[in-house]
């Protein structure tokens, strides 16, 4: 069986590697993640899909964390996929739509959208984690759940296949990914 480093362009760190202890630190330092098997830092979406496929073949679980704001105990033996390098944000002010990569934080979206009068949430929380949990921001009384504004999600399914998920393409998965009630 190949190693993760054989199937991705990004970085793979294991116990004993110089940067391993730093790479696994979550924002919430109260949580100990030192028992993870490896930290995988993808360069792009293809790396994410390859990581999920490879972990599946090896019988390993993958946990995704852009920032570790919501870190919880219990990751021993798992593969920690850190998406914090995937930071691209593009804004279409006419359509009032932003395309945000998996590791971007709201601060980056706020910077890109403020000049158009568009808004987001706490600057240090990642957009993906916030929206996957429904997302309540300072603007929720007026605009509702952040997840209500999601148009599409580019996801990798559990068998490692990239998928663009919308309300039309897969209503059940679209609902589940937004972490909220209908
Ligand atoms: C200072 C602070 C301010 C906050 N403010 C708010 C707020 O205003 N409103 C609010 O609703 N919440 C708020 N929260 C809570 C925050 O939204 C949640 O903790 C959110 O889940 C953090 O997302 P994250 O990606 O930064 O954290 P992470 O812990 O890195 O990720 C959170 C969860 O999302 C999952 N996840 C992230 N990316 C992916 C992905 N690409 N694929 C699959 N799963 C993924 C992770 O596995 C994890 O379960 C705040 C938290 C903090 C610490």
């Amino acid at each position: 069986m190949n190693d993760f480093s054989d199937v991705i362009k990004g970085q793979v760190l294991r116990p004993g590697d110089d940067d391993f202890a730093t790479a696994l630190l979550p924002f919430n330092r109260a949580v100990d993640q030192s028992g993870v098997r490896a930290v995988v830092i993808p360069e792009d979406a293809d790396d994410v899909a390859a990581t999920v496929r490879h972990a599946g073949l090896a019988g390993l679980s993958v946990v995704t964390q852009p920032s570790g704001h919501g870190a919880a105990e219990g990751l021993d033996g798992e593969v920690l996929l850190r998406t914090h390098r995937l930071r691209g944000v593009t804004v279409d002010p006419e359509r009032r739509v932003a395309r945000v990569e998996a590791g971007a934080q709201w601060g980056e979206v706020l910077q890109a959208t403020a000049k158009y009068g568009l808004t987001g949430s706490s600057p240090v929380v990642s957009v993906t984690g916030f929206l996957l949990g429904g997302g309540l921001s300072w603007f929720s009384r007026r605009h509702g759940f952040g997840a209500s504004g999601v148009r599409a999600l580019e996801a990798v399914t559990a068998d490692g296949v990239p998928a663009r998920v919308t309300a039309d393409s897969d209503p059940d998965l679209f609902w589940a990914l937004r972490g909220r009630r209908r």
Side-chain angles (χ1 to χ4, degrees), residues 18-29:
D18 279 350
D19 296 331
F20 179 73
T22 311
L24 58 76
L25 285 177
F27 174 91
N28 180 356
R29 297 292 160 86

Side-chain angles (χ1 to χ4, degrees), residues 33-49:
Q33 304 195 137
S34 57
V36 301
R37 173 184 290 259
V39 180
V40 175
I41 307 174
E43 286 285 312
D44 56 23
D46 288 342
D47 272 3
V48 174

Side-chain angles (χ1 to χ4, degrees), residues 1 3-4 7-8 12 40-42 44-65 79-83 154-163:
M1 165 78 53
D3 186 62
F4 284 101
V7 295
I8 71 161
V12 181
V40 175
I41 307 174
D44 56 23
D46 288 342
D47 272 3
V48 174
T51 300
V52 173
R53 276 196 302 274
H54 186 70
L57 290 171
L60 300 171
S61 299
V62 177
V63 173
T64 310
Q65 248 178 31
V79 176
L80 182 59
L81 180 69
R82 302 297 309 253
T83 53
E154 289 169 20
V156 173
T157 60
D159 46 359
V161 179

Side-chain angles (χ1 to χ4, degrees), residues 137-153:
S137 81
W138 303 310
F139 310 102
S140 289
R141 286 193 184 144
R142 172 176 286 202
H143 297 293
F145 285 105
S148 305
V150 174
R151 309 275 180 95
L153 294 122

Side-chain angles (χ1 to χ4, degrees), residues 109-154:
V109 179
L110 287 168
Q111 243 178 350
T113 58
K115 57 185 172 214
Y116 307 116
L118 307 172
T119 57
S121 186
S122 166
V124 290
V125 169
S126 90
V127 176
T128 311
F130 172 85
L131 293 175
L132 289 175
L136 283 171
S137 81
W138 303 310
F139 310 102
S140 289
R141 286 193 184 144
R142 172 176 286 202
H143 297 293
F145 285 105
S148 305
V150 174
R151 309 275 180 95
L153 294 122
E154 289 169 20

